[in-house]
Amino acid sequence: MNPTTFLIALAALSIGTYVMRFAGVKVGAALAVRGRRGAQVTTGSEVSTEAPTASASDPDEPTSRVTAWMDRATVVLIGAVFATTAVFDGQALADPARLIGVGVGVLAAVVRVPMLVCVILAMAVCAGIRWTGIL
C-alpha cells in the first residue's frame, strides 16, 4: 500500500468514525425531543408541559442509549480495521515490526492518547524497527 492510499484510507476511517458519533448524538437528541413532546398534555386551548413522573424513564435516556450504541459501533469499526489490516498482509500474517507497531498504537489508545497520535506513534515504532533491522 503506498503512502497516499494509506492516508486516504486513514482520513476516510476518521471521517466515518466522527460521522457515526455525530449521527448517534443527533438521533439520540431527536428521540429525546420526541419523548418530551409525548409528555405534553393538552387541556382545552392551553398546552402545559408536565415533568415526567418518578416512575417514567429519564428524558435523556434515549440520547444516552443511542450515544452508547454509536460508541460501541465505532469501537467495532476500528477493531475490524485493526484485525484486517494490521494483523494480516494479504492472506499471510504481517511481519513482526507491523504487529509491534500496532501493539504500541493500541497501548497508546488504551491510555487515552488522541487517535492521530496513536497512529503516528504506531507508524514511527514500526518504521524504527524496520529501519534498524531488529526484526
Side-chain angles (χ1 to χ4, degrees):
M1 178 182 286
N2 65 32
T4 305
T5 306
F6 176 76
L7 291 176
I8 291 171
L10 180 63
L13 176 64
S14 299
I15 290 168
T17 301
Y18 288 113
V19 165
M20 287 177 67
R21 294 234 9 165
F22 182 72
V25 171
K26 289 296 184 185
V27 169
L31 289 173
V33 168
R34 188 179 72 190
R36 285 189 204 113
R37 284 184 187 153
Q40 291 181 349
V41 177
T42 307
T43 56
S45 63
E46 61 185 73
V47 174
S48 64
T49 59
E50 296 178 0
T53 61
S55 64
S57 63
D58 182 21
D60 291 332
E61 196 247 330
T63 304
S64 62
R65 188 174 19 168
V66 170
T67 302
W69 276 105
M70 293 307 285
D71 286 344
R72 291 177 187 138
T74 302
V75 170
V76 168
L77 175 68
I78 292 172
V81 169
F82 160 74
T84 57
T85 61
V87 178
F88 296 102
D89 190 10
Q91 293 184 357
L93 283 175
D95 62 324
R98 184 189 298 181
L99 294 174
I100 292 170
V102 168
V104 168
V106 168
L107 182 64
V110 167
V111 295
R112 297 196 178 263
V113 175
M115 184 65 168
L116 182 62
V117 175
C118 291
V119 171
I120 291 172
L121 184 63
M123 290 182 351
V125 167
C126 181
I129 290 172
R130 288 178 179 166
W131 184 64
T132 59
I134 293 173
L135 294 175

